[in-house]
Amino acid sequence: MATTVPDTAEVELAIGGMTCASCAARIEKKLNRMEGVTATVNYATEKAKVTFRQDLAVTDLIATVEATGYTARAPRPEPAPGAASGDDGGTDRAGGATEDELRPLRQRLVTAVALAVPVVAMAMLPALQFTYWQWLSLTLAAPVVTYAAWPFHRAAFTNARHGAATMDTLISVGTTAAFLWSLWALFLGTAGTPGMTHPFELTIARSDGAGNIYLEAAAGVTAFILAGRYFEARSKRKAGAALRALLELGAKDVTVLRDGREERIPVAGLRAGDRFLVRPGEKIATDGRVVEGSSAVDASMLTGESAPLEVGVGDAVTGATVNAGGRLVVEATRVGADTQLARMARLVEDAQNGKAAAQRLADRISGVFVPVVIALAVGTLGFWLGNGAELTAAFTAAVAVLIIACPCALGLATPTALMVGTGRGAQLGILIKGPEVLESTRKADTVVLDKTGTVTTGRMTLLAVHTAEGGDEREVLRLAGALEHASEHPVARAVAAGAAERVGALPVPEDFANVPGLGVQGVVEGHAVLVGRTALLAEWAMELPAGLARAMAEAEKAGRTAIAVAWDGGARAVLEVADAVRGTSPEAITRLRALGLTPILLTGDNRAVAEAVAAEVGIDEVIAGVMPEDKVEVVKRLQGEGRSVAMVGDGVNDAAALAQADLGLAMGTGTDAAIEAGDLTLVGGDLRAAADAIRLARRTLGTIRSNLFWAFAYNVAALPLAAAGLLNPMIAGAAMAFSSVFVVGNSLRLRGFRPGG
């Protein structure tokens, strides 16, 4: 007899208390051990996406997470797309929550830096060691090691409960050992005597440790590593901002037609079947169907198509797109979570949650290094006691092993390189969001480029003017530009702007009329002028001459918008309007290829337009006619082929794909949703910056890796001295200072990065 498999449900839990990627792995493992549960935990977004049998309760999942040593809760529901954030406080709460979570960490950092600087200065500079300097050091260091370092101690305790060791364990053990030994030396040893100094002597000699204090190591390490954690946390908290940016794109309120009256209501009050009014320039409130009127709708930010969409009665329209032309009455067909905008927000969230969090190299090394150090410390203690040494001398050697293992330079390795690298990037208009991004830049081998607004300018532009035999281009532009200047249509604005740029001031039409779906007509300087489709000319019994008809056919074949110009009974010209390729795009493609990346053009536009653009910039592979939700699938397919995908885009339609890609590069000239979903932001509109961003990120990653190597090399080299009981405070201090100076100097080399290299 077949057993019935219970239906499954899905929930997203907000996880608290994670300090590293290994915490996420631990929670994921615990949840997946539950029968009927499949879970993925993302350290970057601090969320767990869990699919579970419906006979289980969400409280069971939360209890499992809490038993692992972390917190969990079902996240608060997001406001409906376009809902006024001021009404329900959704966005404000999110921003406020971010600030509330960062505030304790910032307070600990400020405390640590303010108190640790004088402690380190007194320990390293004998001139500052006045009579009771050691007691002032203790007073200043105590809050740093207890209050400021508390997150490390808490995480170390949690890790210990589960038999794991991370960098938090190393920091906690090292700082605690240094602080407790200093307390023993001050109160029970000779370090507390008036006039005690740490002389500047780099001699190797065995001592009982009773006169040595290591407060500067404990305080300095805590301050350095807290700084790195704070800046990492700040970038990590932005993970949900892409969703808020998407939700903010929708209209905030809407004019509903009820009982023959116009009523302005919040968009959250809109229901399927309601009819609402959309005036020129307004956002369409929700997905619907046009029941009255015709217009051009600018849907480029959602669909990626550069040309406006002509809509009329019976046509579908999408929420958050802009009515660029006439008055429309729309019947709502989908509202709230069912709209395309809301579905795209879910796509972004799913892509972010599915994106594997980068394991921090320092944590991976610490997982091995910490147990080895502790074993070495215990072994050192046993060795000295077994060889007849006094208990004090044996403990001195054992504790010295723990102290020298405390990663001062390690704490600087990532934050200094990241600080210099991101600072240099900011000068060049490249914003790097966090250390997790860097690993992706090294692996990327394919770059997927959105067309509109990325490879192209994203604006309709007048590209060419074809005049009839004997025609005057300047006159064509004066008359056509004057008439189009009176229209709000995006193509008309492109013609008017191009005409004004080429011929200067335009005359004012004496008469003007918009012909829905066909073009415009009017009187300019005494001429009866028509600008629009050939069907508009046909209504006035005019045909294009063979030369102009050929020019129009070729323009349309290349995917451009071609419009006819006629006056005084005759067709005079054909104008070509299209989204122009950025002048720097061909060079950018060459640079990306030089970095070992294979470029692919991905667009919602038709294939003719896409292939024309690809040929112009030097891209061989084109994927055209792709809907926003399908862009994510394209990226997933490429990843399934074993490729590491970088994605460059600027529109709302790119946001989910940017989040799904291994590396997302957002054009800073694009929408907030795309910028927030990307890992790197290119402030300007120059695609060449994408190549520079990848080079800079790779260089920064290389610097971090070399910093980590030298930081650990210092620890490993000094451990034998510590185990031999030959480590005095000045050698420890000098070695710590040298390794830190080396790491900082190595990081500062990033300031010499030059674009275009």
Side-chain angles (χ1 to χ4, degrees):
M1 180 178 172
T3 55
T4 303
V5 178
D7 290 336
T8 60
E10 195 172 272
V11 69
E12 198 170 65
L13 301 176
I15 306 295
M18 293 191 295
T19 60
C20 63
S22 58
C23 296
R26 193 174 303 125
I27 298 167
E28 191 171 296
K29 188 184 296 182
K30 286 282 188 181
L31 285 171
N32 284 323
R33 282 179 181 168
M34 296 176 69
E35 190 176 345
V37 173
T38 305
T40 56
V41 181
N42 190 324
Y43 169 61
T45 59
E46 295 189 325
K47 288 181 180 179
K49 190 169 185 178
V50 188
T51 303
F52 61 100
R53 296 184 324 196
Q54 285 192 342
D55 57 338
L56 290 172
V58 174
T59 51
D60 296 332
L61 303 175
I62 292 174
T64 299
V65 175
E66 289 176 344
T68 313
Y70 304 90
T71 63
R73 62 172 173 79
R76 300 181 187 92
E78 293 283 356
S85 59
D87 294 340
D88 63 8
T91 304
D92 294 338
R93 275 200 309 269
T98 298
E99 198 57 33
D100 288 343
E101 290 174 28
L102 283 175
R103 189 178 294 120
L105 185 55
R106 184 169 58 248
Q107 289 170 345
R108 293 182 197 275
L109 173 60
V110 170
T111 302
V113 171
L115 300 181
V117 168
V119 172
V120 174
M122 285 187 288
M124 299 303 295
L125 300 174
L128 298 179
Q129 294 172 6
F130 55 90
T131 304
Y132 292 104
W133 72 274
Q134 69 270 47
W135 296 104
L136 177 60
S137 290
L138 175 63
T139 305
L140 296 175
V144 178
V145 178
T146 53
Y147 164 71
W150 176 246
F152 305 129
H153 303 319
R154 184 179 57 212
F157 176 72
T158 301
N159 291 328
R161 283 176 54 201
H162 299 284
T166 66
M167 187 165 167
D168 288 315
T169 311
L170 189 55
I171 297 162
S172 179
V173 168
T175 54
T176 302
F179 185 70
L180 292 178
W181 184 263
S182 300
L183 283 179
W184 180 86
L186 284 168
F187 287 99
L188 301 176
T190 59
T193 57
M196 185 278 283
T197 61
H198 279 175
F200 197 82
E201 296 174 357
L202 299 182
T203 56
I204 295 178
R206 190 165 296 157
S207 77
D208 64 1
N212 298 340
I213 61 172
Y214 299 97
L215 294 169
E216 77 285 357
V221 167
T222 301
F224 283 137
I225 297 180
L226 271 176
R229 290 287 170 88
Y230 175 71
F231 291 116
E232 180 184 6
R234 255 183 46 177
S235 65
K236 188 155 62 76
R237 296 293 175 208
K238 293 180 180 177
L243 306 179
R244 292 194 293 274
L246 269 172
L247 296 172
E248 283 295 304
L249 282 171
K252 301 296 182 290
D253 43 31
V254 58
T255 302
V256 181
L257 302 176
R258 288 177 178 163
D259 302 324
R261 295 182 298 106
E262 294 183 8
E263 183 181 344
R264 198 75 175 168
I265 64 169
V267 74
L270 201 57
R271 299 288 176 263
D274 284 348
R275 293 192 173 191
F276 59 93
L277 177 65
V278 190
R279 297 182 175 87
E282 286 186 341
K283 288 180 180 178
I284 296 173
T286 193
D287 298 357
R289 181 176 53 84
V290 178
V291 294
E292 185 182 318
S294 62
S295 181
V297 174
D298 180 1
S300 58
M301 67 177 182
L302 282 176
T303 65
E305 293 187 28
S306 50
L309 305 173
E310 300 288 346
V311 297
V313 174
D315 290 333
V317 290
T318 305
T321 56
V322 179
N323 177 16
R327 176 183 183 275
L328 294 175
V329 176
V330 178
E331 182 178 303
T333 55
R334 289 193 297 242
V335 296
D338 295 329
T339 64
Q340 184 172 345
L341 183 64
R343 290 203 307 272
M344 288 175 66
R346 285 197 296 275
L347 282 172
V348 172
E349 188 163 24
D350 289 345
Q352 285 182 333
N353 284 338
K355 195 173 185 179
Q359 288 275 353
R360 289 186 302 178
L361 182 61
D363 271 323
R364 294 206 297 273
I365 297 173
S366 298
V368 177
F369 190 64
V370 173
V372 169
V373 168
I374 292 174
L376 183 58
V378 172
T380 300
L381 177 65
F383 173 81
W384 285 111
L385 288 176
N387 281 275
E390 291 184 10
L391 184 62
T392 303
F395 266 112
T396 299
V399 173
V401 169
L402 295 177
I403 292 170
I404 200 64
C406 199
C408 182
L410 188 61
L412 285 170
T414 298
T416 53
L418 198 62
M419 201 177 304
V420 178
T422 53
R424 181 60 183 142
Q427 291 175 341
L428 301 174
I430 300 163
L431 305 181
I432 302 173
K433 289 196 174 176
E436 297 88 355
V437 173
L438 304 177
E439 187 70 25
S440 302
T441 64
R442 183 179 66 84
K443 296 177 181 176
D445 54 28
T446 302
V447 58
V448 175
L449 301 158
D450 168 57
K451 180 185 73 68
T452 308
T454 302
V455 176
T456 65
T457 61
R459 299 186 309 274
M460 299 300 284
T461 307
L462 177 62
L463 297 181
V465 180
H466 304 276
T467 60
E469 189 175 345
D472 180 0
E473 182 177 316
R474 288 183 63 82
E475 186 178 15
V476 168
L477 290 174
R478 272 177 56 78
L479 298 181
L483 199 60
E484 294 282 55
H485 192 266
S487 173
E488 290 298 318
H489 196 287
V491 172
R493 289 201 297 267
V495 171
E501 186 179 322
R502 299 185 196 190
V503 302
L506 301 173
V508 178
E510 298 153 35
D511 187 27
F512 171 84
N514 181 53
V515 184
L518 296 179
V520 292
Q521 61 188 42
V523 178
V524 183
E525 294 184 338
H527 300 286
V529 184
L530 303 174
V531 184
R533 301 176 185 271
T534 51
L536 178 62
L537 273 63
E539 286 189 359
W540 292 79
M542 283 184 271
E543 290 186 2
L544 291 177
L548 293 183
R550 192 162 49 249
M552 177 170 276
E554 289 175 357
E556 290 175 343
K557 185 179 178 182
R560 296 177 176 178
T561 300
I563 55 176
V565 181
W567 67 81
D568 296 345
R572 310 287 179 165
V574 167
L575 308 179
E576 287 187 37
V577 175
D579 183 9
V581 169
R582 294 182 189 274
T584 57
S585 290
E587 183 186 346
I589 300 303
T590 302
R591 290 190 190 178
L592 289 167
R593 286 187 187 278
L595 291 170
L597 298 164
T598 302
I600 298 174
L601 189 67
L602 179 66
T603 180
D605 252 349
N606 63 66
R607 178 158 289 276
V609 174
E611 289 183 343
V613 170
E616 190 172 341
V617 299
I619 296 176
D620 301 324
E621 190 174 345
V622 175
I623 303 173
V626 181
M627 294 300 290
E629 53 268 31
D630 295 332
K631 287 192 174 185
V632 181
E633 295 305 317
V634 169
V635 172
K636 285 182 180 177
R637 176 172 59 79
L638 292 170
Q639 290 170 328
E641 294 171 2
R643 302 198 202 189
S644 182
V645 180
M647 167 84 187
V648 188
D650 77 317
V652 175
N653 61 310
D654 303 315
L658 286 168
Q660 175 64 40
D662 299 289
L663 176 67
L665 296 95
M667 304 294 278
T669 51
T671 61
D672 289 345
I675 291 168
E676 297 294 355
D679 301 309
L680 294 165
T681 300
L682 314 177
V683 174
D686 192 339
L687 188 57
R688 290 178 300 184
D692 291 332
I694 291 172
R695 278 201 312 115
L696 176 60
R698 285 179 177 177
R699 180 90 57 87
T700 305
L701 177 65
T703 302
I704 288 174
R705 285 173 174 270
S706 63
N707 284 350
L708 289 171
F709 170 79
W710 286 109
F712 273 108
Y714 144 73
N715 287 62
V716 171
L719 280 174
L721 283 177
L726 299 175
L727 194 68
N728 71 42
M730 284 313 302
I731 289 182
M736 186 176 78
F738 173 77
S739 63
S740 299
V741 168
F742 179 87
V743 162
V744 172
N746 192 38
S747 300
L748 288 174
R749 294 189 306 122
L750 288 167
R751 293 169 62 182
F753 178 86
R754 294 285 179 268

